[in-house]
Amino acid sequence: MAFSKTRLVLMAVAVSLSLAACGGGNTPASKGEALDNFTAEEIYKRGEYALENERKPKDAVHYFSEVERLYPYSEWAKRALIMQAYSHHRARQYEEARGAAQRFIDNYPGDEDAAYAKYLLALSYYDQIDDIGRDQGLTFQALQGLREVIEQYPDTEYARSAVLKFDLAFDHLAAKEMEIGRYYLKRGHYTAAINRFRVVVEEFQTTTHTPEALMRLTEAYLALGLTDEAQTAGAILGHNFRSSPFYQDAYAQLRGRGLEAAPKGDSWLTQVYRQVIQGKWL
């Protein structure tokens, strides 16, 4: 996590603080104790200690929430709110993290940490994209959130990180289309498979899955006897990914039918091929 200068200073000194208000010891006060008589700074430092030293993000949430409750509208409350969002995220309480981050954005839209709050919002979706088989709604929400970070805070470190994560999430969506397309292809549902591979070629052409999608299109179209489309898919594959093993596979399939990888007919793939020749493919 990237902290503002004030919080970096606080984090640096947190370990060395004696936290005398905890009863004279060096360990933070227990989560169940009454905190009404402590200052906002003392409670906030307990939250930092729980988060960084004890690795207890849920306890940290308690302390940061108490700062906000006991000292609303204060500078410490503002800091505690963004730390609530971060602590919830560390605890994998993603919905709660989004709630705290959104409250920060709503209350402090011009603050220097608003960019980080927006980034946390996106990250709370992104970090739940753990396998291809899950509902892709999370991926779409992650993409939307990451795009907002990139567009609204382009000069921040969060935008740079968001660009990398956006590409990975985008690739994830393409992978899902490929998985479904392969499923249909294996079972001989060629038209359904073609529809999935077409989505990859037209909407996810900058991902790593494009070469395979073109090869699978070649295979599916050959199975349907649509040789013009198969040859055109092979031509696009050869033009952009000649060194790919997927091209070698498509080329072998075409040669086995006495065909070549060349544009034929006037299908949607022919239009794509024209874009490639004109240098507009990417």
Side-chain angles (χ1 to χ4, degrees), residues 22-95:
C22 296
N26 288 334
T27 58
S30 66
K31 182 179 174 182
E33 79 168 306
L35 298 170
D36 303 58
N37 295 325
F38 292 100
T39 67
E41 183 178 4
E42 288 170 340
I43 303 171
Y44 183 92
K45 288 175 180 176
R46 281 161 175 71
E48 284 189 327
Y49 192 97
L51 185 65
E52 300 302 326
N53 293 76
E54 297 187 327
R55 302 293 192 269
K56 295 179 178 179
K58 292 182 181 179
D59 287 357
V61 167
H62 166 72
Y63 290 118
F64 294 131
S65 298
E66 285 296 281
V67 173
E68 190 183 14
R69 182 181 71 85
L70 295 171
Y71 300 93
Y73 312 114
S74 67
E75 181 67 22
W76 287 106
K78 181 179 71 172
R79 297 177 185 177
L81 181 54
I82 192 67
M83 292 299 285
Q84 278 184 63
Y86 175 59
S87 300
H88 276 307
H89 191 84
R90 281 273 295 269
R92 298 185 179 181
Q93 297 172 323
Y94 298 116
E95 185 174 350

Side-chain angles (χ1 to χ4, degrees), residues 221-273:
Y221 278 126
L222 284 175
L224 291 174
L226 300 175
T227 56
D228 284 357
E229 288 82 352
Q231 290 181 94
T232 305
I236 298 170
L237 183 54
H239 187 278
N240 288 276
F241 309 101
R242 183 169 291 273
S243 62
S244 168
F246 292 115
Y247 171 69
Q248 302 304 322
D249 194 344
Y251 181 79
Q253 291 185 55
L254 290 168
R255 291 290 292 175
R257 303 283 188 97
L259 302 172
E260 60 180 343
K264 300 287 184 178
D266 194 27
S267 68
W268 68 273
L269 279 165
T270 310
Q271 296 176 25
V272 172
Y273 183 83

Side-chain angles (χ1 to χ4, degrees), residues 90-213:
R90 281 273 295 269
R92 298 185 179 181
Q93 297 172 323
Y94 298 116
E95 185 174 350
E96 292 83 351
R98 287 193 287 273
Q102 188 60 60
R103 283 198 295 120
F104 188 94
I105 295 168
D106 293 341
N107 293 331
Y108 312 104
D111 190 83
E112 63 178 336
D113 283 327
Y116 182 64
K118 180 69 74 171
Y119 180 71
L120 269 178
L121 272 173
L123 207 59
S124 68
Y125 290 113
Y126 179 85
D127 284 351
Q128 293 183 80
I129 307 172
D130 54 3
D131 60 66
I132 293 174
R134 290 198 60 166
D135 178 12
Q136 296 306 291
L138 289 171
T139 308
F140 282 111
Q141 288 173 303
L143 286 168
Q144 180 179 349
L146 292 166
R147 175 174 288 146
E148 289 177 0
V149 173
I150 296 166
E151 292 177 350
Q152 295 175 20
Y153 306 98
D155 298 325
T156 65
E157 61 185 292
Y158 309 118
R160 292 188 289 274
S161 178
V163 168
L164 297 176
K165 287 180 169 57
F166 187 95
D167 289 341
L168 290 172
F170 201 62
D171 197 86
H172 185 91
L173 285 179
K176 181 64 176 181
E177 296 294 330
M178 291 299 301
E179 179 190 45
I180 298 172
R182 291 189 210 99
Y183 174 87
Y184 286 137
L185 186 64
K186 185 176 181 180
R187 285 156 181 78
H189 303 312
Y190 300 115
T191 300
I194 286 169
N195 289 337
R196 294 293 181 166
F197 300 138
R198 178 173 179 172
V199 169
V200 176
V201 171
E202 291 189 322
E203 300 181 19
F204 301 104
Q205 66 265 48
T206 59
T207 70
T208 59
H209 300 281
T210 302
E212 183 184 356

